[in-house]
Amino acid sequence: MSYLSLTSWSLHRHLGPLSWSKWDHDKKEIVTEVEEQPLNLELVELPGVLSEKGFQAVEIVHAHFHSTELDYLQKLGQSIKESGIRFYALLIDYGDISTSDPIRKEKDMDFIKSWIDVASIVGAEHVRVVSGEASPKDKVALQRASVQFTEICAYAKKKGVGVLTENFRSLASTSENCLFLLEHTDLTGLISDFGNFSGPNKVDSLKETLPKSKSVHVKALTTRDGEVDKEELENCLALLRDADYTGPLTLVYDEPGDVWKGINKVKDIVKKHI
């Protein structure tokens, strides 16, 4: 049976500054760019809030961590444990394992492994690793990514953490590439995001990845007047039954206005499919 989850990205305008990791091509190193946001809710308070609002799991974007010091990570882990919800996935939003640049490959791999360490300390069940920024038509890059995933998965296994990838960014923007990576690596599974496939093949692509998915990101599209496109969302949710999907339904909401009001609109629609 599926269950409700929320990504921290849905609250990115409330959880304080975002620490984005970027590749500096000139310096050949990873740099951090801080995006200022209001701090209306501490990350360590989020699990308790979500539990009170009826969620059973959370997925947290790495940029929302205000520290990677041990005491902070232990405090967050304790908060999640006390809330009774699952920390299903730590979403690592940086890293290009499809790159042909040996310097970037080494530094990005070290970066990803460092966040696997964080996931292990806090108690995340999985990490989401981006497959890469190469063109989806670049089969050499796809093979490079599969080799890197083999190393990443072996490292994560020692830490007790599963590894997922998502139909996110260029390389994994096709169902064909998502399934190739799953079949040729030790990935735990896929994340299918309703909003990341687009065009006339969207439904067919979801039909292909959903049966292999361990998490679904329920990203609702909106109409011209800013309302949730209920019909489009219902059509995507209807695919879950044929896929025999039983994992978390992670709500992704990023529209202007009262964010909790918007989240609840999506939540009310999703609950009908649980």
Side-chain angles (χ1 to χ4, degrees), residues 195-259:
N196 288 353
F197 285 138
S198 60
N201 296 324
K202 174 174 180 172
V203 170
D204 288 339
S205 295
L206 285 170
K207 285 181 178 179
E208 291 175 353
T209 61
L210 284 174
K212 304 292 185 180
S213 293
K214 299 296 184 181
S215 172
V216 168
H217 285 183
V218 183
K219 185 184 293 177
L221 302 183
T222 54
T223 60
R224 290 183 179 179
D225 58 2
E227 293 298 316
V228 172
D229 190 336
K230 185 177 179 180
E231 182 180 358
E232 202 276 344
L233 181 56
E234 291 275 12
N235 289 339
C236 289
L237 289 166
L239 302 174
L240 298 173
R241 181 171 296 178
D242 288 341
D244 292 327
Y245 179 76
T246 58
L249 295 173
T250 302
L251 276 55
V252 185
Y253 186 83
D254 182 22
E255 296 297 329
D258 186 328
V259 66

